[in-house]
Amino acid sequence: KCINIGNGESRVEIDITTVCWSPRHLKWVYALGLPMLVIYSIGLPISALVILIYNHHKLHEANVLQYIILLYQGLNYKTYFWELVNTFRKCSLLLLQVFIPEGYKEYKVLLGSMILFVCSIAQGRLKPYKIKVISDLEHREMVASVMTLYAGLLFIQSSGSLEVLNVIVFVGVVLLNARFFILWFYLCITVYK
């Protein structure tokens, strides 16, 4: 991740002696960053999707089930691919954080919110989970994420004159996140009884 150190100069955050996009930095980007991006962020989810598509008509068979149950456990038969949608969502949000420069916080929030909105609409229409409370949990997580993104932007942009508004927004975000964590904690307790 690059940070602006002033005078329009960006440096690598974990090694301030390295100028961003310099030959030294590019060497690491091409040798390590790009292969990791291709293999882990793109290659593994696509490989998992191909395996699921190839075996989707045999998902209930024991010999297939034992190898790929982690990829679709808890999902409806027709939405066996949903965990890969979640993986795409999470990777996309991480890629926004890494590749959009620090000075474009508004774009990060806007694009992140758009990704979450599209996934939330798809989740609401497809209803991918067998258990309704899991769908509710995922919906709460996406709402809390969007509100946290916008609240963070507000805190960064606001001046000291909006202190009361900042406190109100902060309390709202804490309550939304608490609403998500309470349901998550409840599910953890009931599942492991």
Side-chain angles (χ1 to χ4, degrees):
K1 179 178 170 183
C2 292
I3 57 170
N4 188 348
I5 61 167
N7 299 330
E9 189 174 18
S10 294
R11 300 285 179 129
V12 176
E13 187 175 34
I14 60 171
D15 179 13
I16 204 79
T17 62
T18 304
V19 176
C20 284
W21 310 113
S22 66
R24 180 178 176 197
H25 183 226
L26 286 174
K27 179 177 76 173
W28 283 103
V29 167
Y30 294 133
L32 191 61
L34 198 56
M36 291 299 195
L37 174 69
V38 171
I39 292 169
Y40 289 107
S41 299
I42 299 169
L44 287 178
I46 288 175
S47 298
L49 181 62
V50 168
I51 290 168
L52 282 172
I53 289 171
Y54 180 75
N55 292 298
H56 81 275
H57 57 285
K58 301 184 281 187
L59 292 177
H60 61 281
E61 295 177 13
N63 61 337
V64 173
L65 191 64
Q66 67 183 347
Y67 294 110
I68 60 175
I69 192 168
L70 276 175
L71 297 176
Y72 72 94
Q73 188 173 21
L75 298 170
N76 290 321
Y77 180 73
K78 291 183 178 180
T79 55
Y80 58 88
F81 57 86
W82 189 253
E83 194 55 42
L84 299 167
V85 173
N86 282 332
T87 301
F88 165 76
R89 172 175 52 97
K90 293 169 187 174
C91 286
S92 297
L93 293 173
L94 287 171
L95 290 173
L96 288 176
Q97 181 62 25
V98 170
F99 289 112
I100 295 180
E102 280 297 310
Y104 297 95
K105 292 175 180 70
E106 296 88 358
Y107 292 109
K108 288 182 182 183
V109 170
L110 181 63
L111 292 171
S113 298
M114 289 170 58
I115 291 167
L116 290 167
F117 179 73
V118 168
C119 289
S120 181
I121 295 292
Q123 190 253 356
R125 289 195 177 162
L126 294 174
K127 302 192 183 333
Y129 297 99
K130 291 177 183 174
I131 303 170
K132 184 185 179 308
V133 73
I134 302 295
S135 292
D136 293 343
L137 179 67
E138 186 171 78
H139 179 73
R140 287 182 186 189
E141 178 257 332
M142 285 192 236
V143 168
S145 295
V146 168
M147 294 310 294
T148 302
L149 282 171
Y150 277 106
L153 185 62
L154 176 72
F155 295 145
I156 290 169
Q157 301 291 332
S158 71
S159 63
S161 63
L162 298 174
E163 197 142 331
V164 173
L165 179 62
N166 285 349
V167 170
I168 292 169
V169 170
F170 176 76
V171 169
V173 168
V174 168
L175 290 175
L176 276 172
N177 281 281
R179 182 175 168 253
F180 163 72
F181 280 111
I182 288 168
L183 181 58
W184 174 80
F185 188 68
Y186 169 77
L187 288 175
C188 287
I189 290 172
T190 58
V191 167
Y192 291 110
K193 262 187 175 179

